[in-house]
Amino acid sequence: MLRKLYDWTLSIAAHRHARWWLAAISFAESSFFPVPPDVALMPMVLAERKRAFEYALICTIASVLGGIAGYAIGYFLFDTLGAWILDVYGYHEKFAAVQESYNAYGAWIVFTAGLTPIPYKIFTIASGVTQLNLAVFFVASCAARGLRFFAVAALLWWFGPPIRAFIDKYFGLLSILFVILLIGGFLAVSLVL
């Protein structure tokens, strides 16, 4: 399944709507979608290295906007939509325990979640629920997501064709590693919450 997604994103990288797909995935991942935008960013950068930093900027902007949507879900819709999303991921019961101390370390929590495979959407919603200062949330999100996506783009731009050959050769193993990291992120959140 991941191989098909990888091949598809490579094929659409040069398509005129590729940037919109990347933006949509980045936005959705920050508020409700479980798959990180790296799944689209990496093959797109590999397909068109000259646009690596443009793609990173698109990911960053769309992800921060999606984060603000997640914040709004938590702030305005927690009792309905926000609680449902937390229930889908199994975090609703543990969420109340973290809510009290969240704002004390909110900027660092958002920053860390934005850099790691930990599901960022949980923390965007949590920031809205706990009413973390929106400016603090915005700055932490911009810094973390920008650092993450620009680092990925820079590495892929720098290593270019050899890294693409490596990914193509070891795609199965890398897919397993990706799934382990994704599941590990969800498990880490369940331990924290």
Side-chain angles (χ1 to χ4, degrees):
M1 182 176 87
L2 289 176
R3 182 64 185 199
K4 287 181 182 179
L5 179 62
Y6 174 75
D7 291 339
W8 177 75
T9 53
L10 277 176
S11 71
I12 67 157
H15 191 274
R16 62 188 177 111
H17 297 299
R19 291 179 198 90
W20 291 108
W21 279 106
L22 183 60
I25 292 168
S26 299
F27 179 91
E29 183 271 337
S30 293
S31 49
F32 63 89
F33 191 60
V35 178
D38 307 74
V39 170
L41 175 64
M42 292 172 64
M44 288 178 68
V45 169
L46 291 172
E48 288 199 67
R49 285 176 54 210
K50 67 182 184 234
R51 295 188 174 192
F53 301 108
E54 175 187 345
Y55 292 151
L57 182 62
I58 290 168
C59 272
T60 302
I61 291 169
S63 182
V64 170
L65 291 174
I68 291 171
Y71 185 101
I73 288 169
Y75 190 88
F76 294 110
L77 303 173
F78 181 72
D79 292 333
T80 55
L81 185 59
W84 176 79
I85 290 172
L86 289 175
D87 283 338
V88 165
Y89 292 106
Y91 301 133
H92 190 75
E93 290 179 12
K94 296 178 182 178
F95 181 74
V98 176
Q99 190 171 355
E100 290 180 24
S101 62
Y102 188 87
N103 280 349
Y105 303 103
W108 290 110
I109 292 169
V110 170
F111 183 78
T112 302
L115 284 176
T116 64
I118 294 172
Y120 183 58
K121 71 205 70 23
I122 302 302
F123 295 93
T124 64
I125 293 168
S127 296
V129 171
T130 62
Q131 299 180 6
L132 179 67
N133 180 289
L134 186 57
V136 169
F137 173 80
F138 179 77
V139 170
S141 294
C142 287
R145 298 312 257 183
L147 182 60
R148 175 177 169 171
F149 298 133
F150 276 91
V152 167
L155 288 170
L156 293 171
W157 176 82
W158 180 263
F159 291 108
I163 198 73
R164 183 174 178 176
F166 176 81
I167 290 171
D168 286 339
K169 183 176 180 179
Y170 297 105
F171 189 81
L173 182 61
L174 293 171
S175 296
I176 292 168
L177 180 61
F178 169 76
V179 169
I180 289 169
L181 287 173
L182 188 63
I183 292 170
F186 280 100
L187 291 174
V189 169
S190 69
L191 292 174
V192 170
L193 297 178

